[in-house]
Amino acid sequence: ELRVARLAKKVKAGVDFVQTQCIYNIDKFETWMKGVCERGLHEQVYVMAGVTPMKSAGMARYMKNKVPGMDVPDHLVERMAGVPKEKQAQEGIDICVESIQRLKEIEGVAGFHIMAIEWEEKVPEIVERAGLYPRPQV
């Protein structure tokens, strides 16, 4: 509720869009977006969902345990750790694509910011596999 109230203040201040931190806990984000939509804020500001593909189980654990405000569910850490090391990067891309597909179904999500940190060459694959290309016609 507090974070929805913060968004309301930003909307009042005149922002056109907000970009979220990396979203891994989609259930929690969906609850937040319900609050955004209940207040009609999604009609006043674009909400860009941030996603970051994880390269390894180590990155998943680091994001979970060391990055303030990051919510990486245990099942994602376990999923990354459950594949051989040489296949973890592809698993991270798969998770990112699945996340985008699920986030596309949430009311009020206007777009995505794919933050492929030092892995920019993977963005076209993620965009294509997630069905974000070609761009939707408005």
Side-chain angles (χ1 to χ4, degrees), residues 1 5 10 42 50 84 98 103-104 106 131-132:
E1 185 61 31
K10 290 176 183 179
H42 67 300
E98 292 164 16
L103 289 163
K104 286 188 332 188
I106 297 175
L132 299 176

Side-chain angles (χ1 to χ4, degrees), residues 79-99:
R79 178 173 167 184
M80 290 293 292
V83 298
K85 191 169 186 133
E86 67 275 3
K87 294 185 179 188
Q88 288 180 3
Q90 190 58 51
E91 191 71 16
I93 291 171
D94 292 347
I95 290 169
C96 185
V97 169
E98 292 164 16
S99 295

Side-chain angles (χ1 to χ4, degrees), residues 2 11 15 17 22 57 59 67 73 80-82 86 89 98 100 111 114 121 127 129 137:
L2 176 62
V11 169
V15 300
F17 73 94
C22 308
M59 181 179 176
V67 180
M80 290 293 292
E86 67 275 3
E98 292 164 16
I100 291 170
I114 301 170
E121 68 275 8
V127 167
R129 287 185 53 207
Q137 299 300 314

Side-chain angles (χ1 to χ4, degrees), residues 9-79:
K9 285 183 182 180
K10 290 176 183 179
V11 169
K12 201 171 190 179
V15 300
D16 293 322
F17 73 94
V18 293
Q19 175 184 310
T20 71
Q21 209 173 6
C22 308
I23 301 166
Y24 295 106
N25 188 332
I26 298 174
D27 292 336
K28 189 174 185 180
F29 178 73
E30 188 169 26
T31 299
W32 181 75
M33 283 302 298
K34 284 180 184 173
V36 168
C37 292
E38 286 169 2
R39 291 185 178 198
L41 298 173
H42 67 300
E43 295 171 346
Q44 300 171 53
V45 66
Y46 295 105
V47 177
M48 305 291 291
V51 294
T52 298
M54 296 181 280
K55 294 181 180 181
S56 66
M59 181 179 176
R61 283 190 287 276
Y62 181 85
M63 299 279 273
K64 177 179 180 55
N65 298 320
K66 303 289 185 184
V67 180
M70 194 65 56
D71 186 352
V72 181
D74 289 334
H75 71 89
L76 289 182
V77 176
E78 292 164 9
R79 178 173 167 184

